[in-house]
Amino acid sequence: MNVHPETERIELRLLLEAIYLKYGYDFRNYSMAHLKRRAEYRLSLSGLASISQLQHAVLHDEKMFLIFLQDLSINVSEMFRDPPFYKALRNEILPMLGTYPSFKIWHAGCSAGQEVYSMAILLHEAGMRERGQIYATDFNRAILEQAREAAFPLAQLKDYTTKYQQAGGENSFADYYAADDERALLCSFLKERIFFSEHNLVTDGVFGEMHLIVCRNVLIYFDRELQDRVVGLFVDSLCPGGFLCLGSKESLKFSRHAEKFEVVREKEKIYRKRRDA
Amino acid sequence: MKRAFKAVVVGVSSGGLEALKILVPGLRKDLSVPVLIVQHLSPQADSYLALRLDEVSGLKVKEAEDKEFLQAGVAYVAPPDYHLLVEPDGSLSLSVDPKVNFSRPSVDVLFETASDAFGAALIGVVLTGANQDGAKGLARIKRRGGLAVVQSPESALADAMPRAALESTNVDHVLPLREIAPFLNNLLIGPSHANTD
């Protein structure tokens, strides 16, 4: 079938509107090209012929909606993804965070928790774990359950170990997990002081008085308008002098809120909220 | 009559650095459209490819940034480990979605989203590579009325990717690598008079 692109865009908009009206999840300001690909993926698996048919299915069958909701959730993550970023966190940001008697960290869009546990390991090695509170949020309830479990496929361990070392890790990464036949289970002490909870960056509000927000490779899925809204949410959630960490190809360059931050590490995308912002 | 094209997308894999060093410097800097390039690279690769190509090309070459708007006469290279997508409004998006054809960035992802954005006004170019990426995307470009160009397998360092593209659809032009830039210049700007810079 050869549907005109403009017709497909209309179908896609109607699908997003339907999801919003019926279920309250708002994807209307997500990257259209991304959404279209996810919809096509679902069409190819479920034998539906058009986005309009998917809309019908999603409206009339909540199970279909939940399936499509998982399709729209980005769950590609790694521990110590972009090692230079974690090295900069370890060497430059944590010492500054350590000057506070207690501190709060928010991982927004935390997926299955790989980056949250990477942070927990850094705090542990810096001797700062007891003073910190980590809030890890995602809109996807199922992925939060996985995050709480802290179990990862054995196949990923080699990559995680390499990245841990590249990020300046001095212990043996094997100290942090116990492996069974299929999975590596992270040590439960790493879970202490982590709160997992549902939070939707698109529709939910401020998370107060954070000293550090980590939100990496989430903003790229939003259009500029929604990026602005979410960065605004971060501005309001950070205490003065608080840090914001984005993905390696994300930046505040195009953001309405750019002037409220100073750049701490250009390449690692670490920003600091100005005291007067 | 000259067809009104709005963009060129290029997909290339193994043998790509050598191929791009011939293709991109061969393009004229007054090219009336943007050029988008997916080259398969190691996820750990640095962003040197765009810099290197920029040094040797008249055309401005840069790494694609999330949410930037396409400009005529600029070549955008997908960053390592990110898919590059074209939005309907002519801006770019990056994503870390799962690999497609074992690749991130994937040629199919760029070609399919660019085809959605530009329809018949798109030129797809598949160059050397040892996999199947780009075949599906080129077929969509053709289905939407765009123009499909493939490097002749004999002139490719790795011929699997051009061959897969040729099998996927009715390709318009099969050209040796060295003729692709002059062909695009001619198609997009017109016949060159004397030697251009």
Side-chain angles (χ1 to χ4, degrees), chain A residues 79-136:
Chain A
M79 289 189 78
F80 297 100
R81 185 191 177 109
D82 306 316
F85 164 72
Y86 280 95
K87 204 168 194 171
L89 262 188
R90 181 193 292 274
N91 295 335
E92 290 177 43
I93 308 304
L94 292 193
M96 289 196 260
L97 213 58
T99 62
Y100 294 97
S102 69
F103 55 87
K104 295 200 275 188
I105 297 174
W106 178 17
H107 281 260
C110 70
S111 188
Q114 291 93 332
E115 302 217 28
V116 183
Y117 291 116
S118 308
M119 177 71 80
I121 289 174
L122 289 191
L123 292 177
H124 171 69
E125 294 184 359
M128 292 165 62
R129 205 164 44 85
E130 303 301 318
R131 284 190 286 146
Q133 194 68 259
I134 300 180
Y135 300 85

Side-chain angles (χ1 to χ4, degrees), chain B residues 19-39:
Chain B
L20 288 173
K21 274 189 237 162
I22 291 170
L23 175 80
V24 180
L27 295 169
R28 279 174 46 182
K29 64 179 175 196
D30 53 342
L31 210 66
S32 50
V33 303
V35 180
L36 295 99
I37 300 167
V38 161
Q39 152 83 68

Side-chain angles (χ1 to χ4, degrees), chain A residues 156-277:
Chain A
Q156 289 167 358
L157 280 183
K158 202 177 150 212
D159 182 47
Y160 290 178
T161 304
T162 310
K163 291 199 160 98
Y164 164 75
Q165 288 159 351
Q166 288 170 346
E170 285 163 6
N171 297 354
S172 165
F173 188 63
D175 293 348
Y176 296 116
Y177 64 83
D180 64 16
D181 289 347
E182 291 162 8
R183 304 187 307 170
L185 291 136
L186 293 184
C187 297
S188 57
F189 77 84
L190 291 173
K191 298 187 202 180
E192 289 164 17
R193 309 192 66 80
I194 302 177
F195 287 123
F196 290 96
S197 75
E198 257 182 83
H199 180 275
N200 191 325
L201 285 169
V202 185
T203 44
D204 294 340
V206 167
F207 240 74
E209 290 298 294
M210 294 293 142
H211 297 86
L212 171 61
I213 296 176
V214 181
C215 182
R216 304 176 71 224
N217 294 312
V218 176
L219 293 180
I220 46 177
Y221 293 97
F222 301 162
D223 69 12
R224 274 199 199 200
E225 190 187 327
L226 183 53
Q227 286 187 352
D228 273 340
R229 180 197 184 272
V230 174
V231 175
L233 193 67
F234 294 156
V235 173
D236 294 340
S237 300
L238 281 170
C239 62
F243 297 95
L244 174 63
C245 305
L246 302 178
S248 64
K249 298 298 169 191
E250 294 173 320
S251 83
L252 294 177
K253 203 164 106 182
F254 301 119
S255 173
R256 194 151 50 86
H257 304 286
E259 76 288 353
K260 293 174 185 148
F261 290 91
E262 57 185 301
V263 180
V264 181
R265 296 278 300 209
E266 173 76 45
K267 240 183 136 187
E268 285 76 24
K269 304 296 152 85
I270 302 175
Y271 301 87
R272 187 169 201 181
K273 183 179 161 184
R274 291 184 191 280
R275 304 240 163 226
D276 53 3

Side-chain angles (χ1 to χ4, degrees), chain B residues 59-187:
Chain B
L59 209 65
K60 180 179 163 59
V61 185
K62 70 186 294 284
E63 190 171 86
E65 289 181 82
D66 184 53
K67 301 295 158 321
E68 73 176 320
F69 281 97
L70 290 169
Q71 286 177 27
V74 178
Y76 302 85
V77 180
D81 213 21
Y82 285 80
H83 290 303
L84 175 60
L85 296 81
V86 184
E87 295 293 328
D89 67 359
S91 64
L92 297 173
S93 286
L94 302 177
S95 100
V96 289
D97 275 14
K99 293 179 177 184
V100 175
N101 305 314
F102 308 103
S103 307
R104 187 171 58 218
S106 146
V107 180
D108 276 342
V109 171
L110 171 65
F111 280 23
E112 291 181 3
T113 57
S115 171
D116 289 347
F118 296 115
L122 182 67
I123 302 171
V125 182
V126 173
L127 304 178
T128 171
N131 54 66
Q132 317 279 307
D133 200 15
K136 243 179 99 198
L138 198 68
R140 181 181 292 191
I141 291 173
K142 269 301 284 184
R143 210 158 58 235
R144 291 253 159 86
L147 194 78
V149 180
V150 172
Q151 177 179 0
S152 59
E154 307 77 55
S155 75
L157 228 67
D159 65 1
M161 206 159 101
R163 284 192 197 283
L166 287 168
E167 279 163 25
S168 74
T169 189
N170 187 15
V171 170
D172 298 286
H173 302 275
V174 184
L175 299 168
L177 179 62
R178 291 195 178 275
E179 286 176 28
I180 295 178
F183 168 81
L184 292 172
N185 289 334
N186 190 23
L187 188 70

